[in-house]
Amino acid sequence: MHLHILGICGTFMGGLALIARAAGHKVTGCDAGVYPPMSTQLAEQGIELIEGFGAEQLALKPDLYVIGNVVSRGNPLMEAILESGARYVSGPQWLGDNILPGAHVLAVAGTHGKTTTSSMLAWVLEAAGLAPNFLIGGVAQDLRVSARYDPARRPFVIEADEYDTAFFDKRSKFVHYRPRTAILNNLEYDHADIFPDLAAIETQFHHLVRTIPGSGRIVRPAHCAALDRVIARGCWSETVTFGADGAWQASPPDADGAFGVLREGAEIGTVRWTLSGEHNRMNALAALAAAEHAGVPAEQGIEALSRFAGVKRRMELRGTVGGVKVYDDFAHHPTAIATTLEGLRRQVGPARILAVLEPRSNTMKLGTMAARLPEALADADLVFCFGAHSGKHALGWNPAEVLAPLGDRASSYDDLDALVAAVAGAARPGDQVLVMSNGGFGGVHGKLLDALRARA
């Protein structure tokens, strides 16, 4: 079957393209601004990429158009597809109908930590010899790719996003996956462009819970009021808790970051790794509990996590110049920003942290959570906020006003070069520069390192 994928360079749709190709389909695709690294991965697999969404692509005459959620009404190709009466389907539904049936699906949902926890879980299964299939919104250094598929393998780890499926299907993506094992990592208000309030997101999580079989397992934190409400609406599966007062717990880390894993109060092993932060310890507990449901003994999972190298763009050290370290992190929600900074602060002690923030997600651009930023950035010594006043990533709020409670510690810029110059000028040996954005941020990491080298 020939599939033509609209929005192919997004992480999810690009991974889906790789899976479809591995399943034996002919795959082509299009996107606006075809770009690496996804374009490189796709080209290496012999997948033809077309720039833009021109209606002339109807001439390809695929058997099916697979639609990503970046596509909306008014898109020229989509309008032509609708006029022609051609067959089309959303990416999540195609995956749920054609790839996941018969698999042991392990879905990782939650407002924060989906990519990291999915990567941990896939790595634990990989280290146990289960060679899982997976579709993850990032690249774990141990796994080297974001998606893999072998129809002979039953486990399938998937990052289960609550964002809507497509312009014609406003259900959350994850309702199409029908997991047997589900991690519900946490639940907060997000995606203000899609959901009016937290209750609307809780309803989508309730729909996910309704698809899990009685022999399935739900892994969730012991304390989360929103998830309490989700489960109270109906639950037909085993529920396993983690965190404080949970069935799975983590002891406080030692000076090197190692921590003990306790199950039902008894310590069963120690994870020895270089990752920092309470959030990563909680991610690890969730991954261990989910992997156990897939047949991996906890002790074996702990050993595997001790060899886990982390995920790109999750506290990834991009370089060190003149004693200044520059990190890249995906944090873009106030809670994620706060936990990332807390983890770095514990790691570096009194060293100065320079936080460089691009509020790029739809929720942050709308200003829905802007008021929470000063508190979220409390662990930073200096804050540099980038907010364009016009264009695709323009903010609907004034960073200078929002960050005013931080006083002289915070400054805002609408010119990227000016921001780079300010950060490079303020940085001194021993500083930790933490760049936080869910986008490319104009290549700011490389520009900062270049500016630091030029200064040196």
Side-chain angles (χ1 to χ4, degrees):
M1 176 177 281
H2 176 191
L3 308 178
H4 189 57
I5 299 178
L6 281 66
I8 196 170
C9 280
T11 305
F12 174 83
M13 296 300 285
L16 183 146
L18 295 172
I19 288 170
R21 181 75 174 80
H25 299 288
K26 176 183 177 181
V27 180
T28 56
C30 63
D31 212 327
V34 174
Y35 50 88
M38 185 56 73
S39 61
T40 305
Q41 284 191 67
L42 296 170
E44 288 173 349
Q45 295 298 315
I47 295 174
E48 179 187 354
L49 304 179
I50 300 172
E51 173 65 37
F53 295 95
E56 69 277 0
Q57 293 175 48
L58 279 183
L60 293 171
K61 298 187 182 303
D63 299 290
L64 184 66
Y65 292 94
V66 184
I67 313 300
N69 68 0
V70 299
V71 176
S72 59
R73 287 303 304 265
N75 178 293
L77 179 53
M78 192 67 236
E79 293 299 318
I81 292 169
L82 293 171
E83 290 292 345
S84 70
R87 294 178 61 216
Y88 65 91
V89 68
S90 72
Q93 183 173 342
W94 183 86
L95 189 74
D97 288 348
N98 295 277
I99 299 296
L100 299 181
H104 181 150
V105 177
L106 300 99
V108 181
T111 309
H112 315 292
K114 291 187 290 293
T115 299
T116 300
T117 308
S118 299
S119 299
M120 288 180 181
L121 177 54
W123 169 243
V124 168
L125 299 180
E126 177 81 357
L130 298 181
N133 298 315
F134 53 83
L135 177 51
I136 302 171
V139 179
Q141 299 184 52
D142 307 281
L143 300 170
R144 298 185 297 280
V145 292
S146 62
R148 184 173 74 188
Y149 181 63
D150 177 350
R153 301 293 181 179
R154 188 164 182 259
F156 196 114
V157 176
I158 187 164
E159 181 174 331
D161 190 1
E162 72 271 25
Y163 208 77
D164 65 353
T165 297
F167 75 86
F168 51 87
D169 183 352
K170 307 317 281 185
R171 295 172 294 173
S172 290
K173 292 178 182 176
F174 56 40
V175 300
H176 294 284
Y177 303 155
R178 300 181 183 179
R180 182 165 296 277
T181 308
I183 295 175
L184 310 183
N185 228 7
N186 39 64
L187 182 51
E188 290 189 65
Y189 183 54
D190 198 3
H191 307 307
D193 55 322
I194 299 295
F195 300 109
D197 50 34
L198 179 58
I201 307 178
E202 291 174 8
T203 295
Q204 294 296 322
F205 272 72
H206 171 61
H207 293 165
L208 173 64
V209 168
R210 294 180 74 94
T211 67
I212 302 169
S215 60
R217 172 180 288 189
I218 295 172
V219 180
R220 54 151 299 185
H223 299 290
C224 178
L227 289 175
D228 290 344
R229 291 190 292 268
V230 169
I231 298 300
R233 294 173 70 169
C235 182
W236 299 264
S237 313
E238 175 194 22
T239 300
V240 174
T241 57
F242 64 90
D245 302 321
W248 294 71
Q249 299 179 28
S251 66
D254 63 19
D256 297 320
F259 66 94
V261 176
L262 294 82
R263 185 176 56 192
E264 305 295 351
E267 185 162 330
I268 54 177
T270 301
V271 175
R272 304 183 185 280
W273 63 5
T274 59
L275 276 66
S276 63
E278 175 72 6
H279 59 298
N280 276 322
R281 291 188 288 279
M282 295 303 101
N283 293 340
L285 295 179
L288 290 170
E292 182 187 60
H293 191 235
V296 180
E299 295 79 6
Q300 192 173 0
I302 289 168
E303 192 278 329
L305 285 179
S306 295
R307 295 184 281 116
F308 182 69
V311 182
K312 288 183 179 296
R313 301 213 63 204
R314 271 65 179 179
M315 280 303 298
E316 179 185 2
L317 179 62
R318 294 291 294 269
T320 304
V321 177
V324 178
K325 292 184 176 181
V326 177
Y327 295 90
D328 182 19
D329 196 88
F330 197 73
H332 60 281
H333 182 286
T335 299
I337 291 168
T339 53
T340 299
L341 280 165
E342 179 269 336
L344 183 57
R345 175 57 69 202
R346 287 180 178 272
Q347 181 178 321
V348 304
R352 292 203 317 167
I353 297 176
L354 280 60
V356 183
L357 173 67
E358 181 191 31
R360 183 180 178 276
S361 71
N362 288 329
T363 297
M364 292 305 296
K365 284 192 296 180
L366 289 170
T368 308
M369 298 183 181
R372 292 177 54 189
L373 280 176
E375 182 181 359
L377 292 160
D379 269 320
D381 295 277
L382 294 175
V383 174
F384 303 82
C385 182
F386 179 69
H389 291 163
S390 62
K392 182 178 180 181
H393 302 307
L395 298 179
W397 46 278
N398 187 329
E401 293 178 359
V402 168
L403 299 177
L406 297 175
D408 293 340
R409 293 163 52 201
S411 54
S412 59
Y413 303 84
D414 61 5
D415 180 85
L416 189 61
D417 291 336
L419 178 142
V420 169
V423 177
R428 59 193 191 214
D431 283 354
Q432 318 287 313
V433 178
L434 174 59
V435 179
M436 294 176 284
S437 171
N438 68 337
F441 205 162
V444 71
H445 322 83
K447 291 179 179 180
L448 279 171
L449 291 168
D450 289 342
L452 291 169
R453 292 188 191 100
R455 186 186 70 173

